[in-house]
């Protein structure tokens, strides 16, 4: 597959306002989910640091 092959694939773009709203809400919910998981990961990293400090004291 070459980069020029990609030019032959159709691209579906939401044309109606309703479709655009649905896609926007979906992407917004995915963004919120990513943010929540990032916060959880940050908290777990801090917890790991604390446990490692207690382990080697």
């Amino acid at each position: 597959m070459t980069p020029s092959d990609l030019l032959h694939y159709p691209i579906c773009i939401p044309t109606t306002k309703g479709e655009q709203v649905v896609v926007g809400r979906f992407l917004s919910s995915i963004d919120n989910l990513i943010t929540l998981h990032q916060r959880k990961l940050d908290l777990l990293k801090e917890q790991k640091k604390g446990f490692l400090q207690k382990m080697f004291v």
Side-chain angles (χ1 to χ4, degrees):
M1 178 178 257
T2 64
S4 63
D5 291 337
L6 294 175
L7 297 175
H8 300 290
Y9 287 100
I11 298 174
C12 298
I13 299 172
T15 55
T16 66
K17 180 73 172 172
E19 285 179 306
Q20 293 172 2
V21 168
V22 169
V23 170
R25 285 182 185 156
F26 174 74
L27 293 176
S28 180
S29 69
I30 293 294
D31 188 45
N32 290 337
L33 185 62
I34 290 170
T35 300
L36 290 174
H37 282 293
Q38 186 63 47
R39 286 181 189 159
K40 182 177 180 182
L41 178 62
D42 292 341
L43 289 173
L44 290 172
K45 284 180 180 180
E46 288 300 315
Q47 189 177 29
K48 178 183 172 183
K49 282 182 193 176
F51 287 146
L52 285 172
Q53 285 178 352
K54 286 182 181 182
M55 209 164 88
F56 293 110
V57 171

